[in-house]
Amino acid sequence: ALTKLHQWLLAGLALLTAWLLMLSGAVAPANPGLVWRHAAAFLPVYCALALGLASLITVVYRVLTFVDCPQAHAELVKEIETAKADLAKRGFTFTAAS
Amino acid sequence: MYSIILPTYNERDNLPLLVWMIDKYLGAANIQYEIVIVDDGSPDGTQEAAKQLAKIYSEDRILGLGTAYLHGLKHAKGDHVILMDADLSHHPKFIPQMVAKMRSGSFDIVTGSRYEGEGCGVYGWDLRRKVISRGANFLAQLLLRPGVSDLTGSFRLYKREVLQRLVDSCTSKGYVFQMEMMVRARHLGYSIGEVPITFVDRMFYGDSKLGGSEIVQYLKGLLTLFATT
């Protein structure tokens, strides 16, 4: 199987080929105006920017929707007290500090 | 039988509490277990605590060792192995859920996920920690497409032979080891189920646990996996 690196290199090669075809005019609309030529020339830049923006939005969204669980902490604290009492009864000696 | 392997370092206070909780929740779910404590030479008396616990809970069920991480596997007698943190950030109440998930889905591995699923969550992480966690996870998902939502998690249930095979074929350490195991597991064709878990971080190490060098190590490991798997 191909490594992820190889997969990315292949995909990159395919995209590069497509872009070069666009630049050379082999793949182009009937009357390529200035806008199209500009877009074609800067396509990789625009794609990179779009991907960067999408990534940033995704990570920000995931940070904002990160689930906090204070109740889990509260339950744990209570459970620890119960555990300590029970263990002490069963003969466990804790260190002086705990 | 389920072997719970606990790597410990200076967990003299947490270890008894964890063992108590394991006994409570696995007992309630009627799950046959043993606990293998693998202590890395703690100076705080962790091994002494392990001995006391073996007396209380029976030496059949609690074994204390002084060797390095995962050499505990040789001494584990169960046909399933659970790896988890020994500092109470992982709660044993999720173990019966993992067991049930493994049965119902016939999975080779069930991993806890802090990020996805009803009931998942984290306590004690500040904004910086969350940003780093989401950013690192995003990068790993993008580069490795692992099919597992929590790649760096360390609370997992394995079939014994699966874990043995993974341990034999993985070479990294720390966070990256956890990632490498999941990636290699997928490559070897093992099926992985997920159970949402809560992660309670009481350590509040702040910067020291996720400083620059940790991040660099993570990136190096990630790129190595990217280039070799």
Side-chain angles (χ1 to χ4, degrees), chain A residues 4 7 79 86 93 95, chain B residues 12 20 25 52 91 145 229:
Chain A
K4 292 289 182 294
Q7 290 172 17
E79 198 155 29
D86 189 46
T93 40
T95 53
Chain B
R12 207 230 181 273
W20 185 90
Y25 288 93
Q52 282 195 59
H91 199 299
R145 303 193 315 273
T229 60

Side-chain angles (χ1 to χ4, degrees), chain B residues 29-58:
Chain B
N30 253 315
I31 294 174
Q32 269 244 309
Y33 73 87
E34 66 164 357
I35 301 175
V36 181
I37 301 163
V38 184
D39 184 60
D40 200 5
S42 301
D44 73 340
T46 302
Q47 295 196 33
E48 141 70 26
K51 289 204 186 83
Q52 282 195 59
L53 292 165
K55 287 214 176 65
I56 295 174
Y57 288 96
S58 139

Side-chain angles (χ1 to χ4, degrees), chain A residues 8-22 43-44 47:
Chain A
W8 278 61
L9 288 174
L10 268 181
L13 202 61
L15 290 171
L16 182 66
T17 309
W19 184 52
L20 289 175
L21 285 174
M22 283 175 73
L43 195 59
C47 285

Side-chain angles (χ1 to χ4, degrees), chain A residues 69-77 80, chain B residues 87-91 93-94 114 121-125 197-204:
Chain A
C69 51
Q71 73 283 7
H73 177 249
E75 283 170 20
L76 180 65
V77 169
I80 287 176
Chain B
D87 60 359
L88 298 183
S89 54
H90 292 149
H91 199 299
K93 70 181 173 188
F94 295 107
R114 296 161 295 177
V122 170
Y123 171 83
W125 280 11
I197 59 164
T198 52
F199 181 91
V200 176
D201 199 340
R202 299 182 304 145
M203 295 297 104
F204 304 126

Side-chain angles (χ1 to χ4, degrees), chain A:
Chain A
L2 289 174
T3 65
K4 292 289 182 294
L5 176 59
H6 285 144
Q7 290 172 17
W8 278 61
L9 288 174
L10 268 181
L13 202 61
L15 290 171
L16 182 66
T17 309
W19 184 52
L20 289 175
L21 285 174
M22 283 175 73
L23 283 185
S24 71
V27 173
N31 280 318
L34 209 58
V35 172
W36 193 92
R37 285 215 295 273
H38 169 96
F42 286 93
L43 195 59
V45 176
Y46 291 139
C47 285
L49 283 175
L51 279 171
L53 192 62
S55 304
L56 187 66
I57 292 175
T58 303
V59 173
V60 168
Y61 174 77
R62 286 179 182 168
V63 169
L64 293 177
T65 57
F66 214 123
V67 180
D68 286 305
C69 51
Q71 73 283 7
H73 177 249
E75 283 170 20
L76 180 65
V77 169
K78 270 204 299 215
E79 198 155 29
I80 287 176
E81 292 312 305
T82 311
K84 279 185 176 166
D86 189 46
L87 281 166
K89 254 201 307 188
R90 298 166 82 161
F92 189 88
T93 40
F94 291 89
T95 53
S98 61

Side-chain angles (χ1 to χ4, degrees), chain B residues 3-18:
Chain B
S3 295
I4 304 171
I5 300 183
L6 299 179
T8 59
Y9 188 72
N10 283 348
E11 296 292 0
R12 207 230 181 273
D13 294 329
N14 288 327
L15 183 62
L17 304 171
L18 179 57

Side-chain angles (χ1 to χ4, degrees), chain B residues 76-217:
Chain B
K77 298 193 230 72
D79 53 358
H80 291 85
V81 179
I82 292 145
L83 296 180
M84 60 190 294
D85 288 353
D87 60 359
L88 298 183
S89 54
H90 292 149
H91 199 299
K93 70 181 173 188
F94 295 107
I95 296 178
Q97 294 179 29
M98 291 181 182
V99 169
K101 182 85 182 183
M102 183 172 267
R103 284 208 190 110
S104 71
S106 299
F107 293 110
D108 297 306
I109 302 169
V110 173
T111 177
S113 174
R114 296 161 295 177
Y115 304 140
E116 245 166 64
E118 181 69 43
C120 74
V122 170
Y123 171 83
W125 280 11
D126 58 7
L127 186 62
R128 177 180 182 274
R129 183 76 176 84
K130 287 180 185 176
V131 168
I132 292 177
S133 166
R134 286 300 203 187
N137 196 264
F138 176 82
L139 204 54
Q141 296 290 335
L142 179 69
L143 292 179
L144 302 178
R145 303 193 315 273
V148 166
S149 69
D150 190 347
L151 258 192
T152 54
S154 48
F155 191 1
R156 298 181 184 144
L157 164 64
Y158 302 81
K159 290 190 175 149
R160 196 225 178 87
E161 65 277 9
V162 172
L163 178 60
Q164 186 65 68
R165 183 123 180 253
L166 289 176
V167 165
D168 290 341
S169 49
C170 291
T171 54
S172 39
K173 294 197 165 48
Y175 289 121
V176 182
F177 175 64
Q178 304 299 341
M179 290 199 305
E180 191 183 357
M181 286 224 277
M182 292 293 97
V183 171
R184 296 223 182 270
R186 294 264 296 178
H187 272 248
L188 291 169
Y190 294 128
S191 55
I192 306 174
E194 293 192 273
V195 160
I197 59 164
T198 52
F199 181 91
V200 176
D201 199 340
R202 299 182 304 145
M203 295 297 104
F204 304 126
Y205 286 138
D207 287 346
S208 66
K209 211 172 187 195
L210 262 193
S213 88
E214 284 245 347
I215 293 176
V216 167
Q217 288 306 315

